[in-house]
């Protein structure tokens, strides 16, 4: 998928564990892993809002488009 979610750098900057982050935004650690590993097919705006609030960042700090990530044949 050409949309990449960069959470690792933001979590490191805030010195937060996945468990602390999951608790703070109200999702399971397994769903945080889905986001971090690029397997998410959608992100709710309420979740994106919580992510940005907790990490004190903008959506563009964690979401980016990458042509290299585009699947061939689509």
């Amino acid at each position: 998928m050409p949309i990449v979610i960069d959470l690792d750098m933001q979590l490191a900057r805030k010195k937060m564990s996945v468990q602390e982050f999951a608790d703070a935004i109200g999702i399971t650690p397994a769903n945080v892993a889905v986001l971090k590993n690029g397997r998410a097919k959608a992100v709710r705006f309420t979740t994106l809002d919580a992510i940005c609030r907790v990490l004190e960042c903008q959506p563009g700090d964690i979401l980016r488009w990458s042509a290299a990530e585009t699947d061939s044949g689509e």
Side-chain angles (χ1 to χ4, degrees):
M1 176 172 325
I3 302 297
V4 179
I5 302 173
D6 292 318
L7 280 177
D8 288 332
M9 188 167 37
Q10 296 296 326
L11 287 174
R13 182 180 62 81
K14 294 293 281 185
K15 297 181 177 137
M16 291 186 85
S17 70
V18 169
Q19 182 66 55
E20 291 170 323
F21 180 64
D23 290 343
I25 65 171
I27 66 173
T28 66
N31 283 336
V32 172
V34 168
L35 289 170
K36 286 177 58 174
N37 296 328
R39 295 187 320 258
K41 298 295 180 192
V43 178
R44 292 180 182 189
F45 281 122
T46 54
T47 302
L48 184 58
D49 173 60
I51 290 169
C52 291
R53 180 178 30 81
V54 168
L55 296 177
E56 298 175 334
C57 67
Q58 294 295 313
D61 295 332
I62 57 169
L63 298 174
R64 66 181 167 87
W65 179 82
S66 174
E69 300 291 329
T70 304
D71 294 334
S72 59
E74 282 191 33

